[in-house]
Amino acid sequence: ETVLTQSPATLSLSPGERATLSCRASQSVSTYLAWYQQKPGQAPRLLIYDASNRATGIPARFSGSGSGTDFSLTISSLEPEDFAVYYCQQRIKWPPTFGQGTKLEIK
Amino acid sequence: EVQLVESGGGLVQPGGSLRLSCEASGFTFSNYWMSWVRQTPGKGLEWVANIKQDGSERYYVDSVRGRFTISRDNAKDSLYLQMNSLRAEDTAVFYCARDNSAFEFGGQGTLVTVSS
């Protein structure tokens, strides 16, 4: 199966700062990569699909980029509600797989 | 807005069975593939199974094939997961998700605990 490795495991930043999260695939997934945000006690929320497309209702401060094996999620200016765990996920190689997550915490 | 309400979880002994349900609203259920995804503290998020719009195709992760069965009732806008021969490692929160360009979750999930 395709392994997705996210880095860093934890990212400590302050509101207003820029956050860049990385996801590396063990084999090419083209642009079939999604990003999710999860807060405690809640289901994951889709942010980005197909590497760079924002899901409905997602603020413009969230952006995704990359193709092949290297991807990134950027939050241009952190809001207090953005501190959460973020997961990447690929859907082109069976079975669909998720990364282990990056915890974005308040510094 | 995608709304999904999972139910049916609980405590079950190893080797036992459970049937999870997911009631969908806010979209035309019969137009979409649907999936079950589970989450554990140890293994994180794991896709479990999915089913085509008309139920004619179903796919499973290796670890549950032969033990779990996904099904749907489009007349009731509902998705199901029949889980048999449950193991301790099946302990997780189970979410249903609309399977589109990515997974769209809409519920709180249902907790399945397999323990004696």
Side-chain angles (χ1 to χ4, degrees):
Chain A
E1 69 178 38
T2 301
V3 176
L4 299 178
T5 303
Q6 293 186 240
S7 61
T10 303
L11 184 58
S12 300
L13 293 170
S14 300
E17 290 193 290
R18 181 184 185 91
T20 302
L21 288 66
S22 295
C23 177
R24 175 164 288 178
S26 60
Q27 59 185 308
S28 176
V29 297
S30 184
T31 57
Y32 295 103
L33 189 108
W35 290 93
Y36 302 84
Q37 175 194 69
Q38 188 176 33
K39 297 180 180 179
Q42 297 183 15
R45 174 194 180 196
L46 176 64
L47 300 174
I48 301 287
Y49 65 94
D50 291 347
S52 61
N53 297 294
R54 273 191 304 277
T56 302
I58 301 304
R61 64 181 181 273
F62 291 92
S63 64
S65 64
S67 65
T69 61
D70 291 302
F71 300 86
S72 61
L73 173 70
T74 300
I75 311 171
S76 59
S77 179
L78 286 165
E79 298 288 340
E81 62 267 27
D82 297 337
F83 292 92
V85 180
Y86 292 82
Y87 296 94
C88 58
Q89 175 253 324
Q90 66 81 22
R91 66 181 180 94
I92 190 64
K93 303 292 186 184
W94 190 92
T97 51
F98 292 84
Q100 83 281 11
T102 289
K103 181 179 181 181
L104 179 56
E105 64 177 25
I106 300 176
K107 187 174 182 180
Chain B
E1 181 187 359
V2 175
Q3 295 188 355
L4 301 165
V5 179
E6 302 94 344
S7 62
L11 175 63
V12 61
Q13 293 188 336
S17 298
L18 276 179
R19 188 193 194 212
L20 306 184
S21 299
C22 170
E23 187 170 337
S25 60
F27 65 101
T28 305
F29 180 75
S30 59
N31 286 354
Y32 292 89
W33 283 76
M34 294 294 294
S35 277
W36 285 99
V37 174
R38 63 185 176 183
Q39 186 170 30
T40 64
K43 286 195 69 178
L45 289 161
E46 180 182 40
W47 171 82
V48 173
N50 66 358
I51 185 168
K52 195 176 179 179
Q53 290 91 330
D54 62 359
S56 61
E57 295 181 37
R58 312 175 195 208
Y59 301 95
Y60 301 90
V61 70
D62 287 349
S63 60
V64 309
R65 189 177 298 111
R67 300 188 299 123
F68 291 9
T69 302
I70 189 171
S71 62
R72 65 191 297 162
D73 184 338
N74 288 339
K76 295 183 178 179
D77 291 341
S78 292
L79 178 72
Y80 306 101
L81 187 68
Q82 177 67 43
M83 304 187 295
N84 298 330
S85 303
L86 283 161
R87 306 166 179 168
E89 55 265 34
D90 295 317
T91 295
V93 175
F94 283 75
Y95 297 100
C96 64
R98 188 169 79 172
D99 199 341
N100 200 9
S101 298
F103 297 123
E104 296 169 279
F105 301 87
Q108 297 297 312
T110 188
L111 175 62
V112 172
T113 303
V114 184
S115 175
S116 55

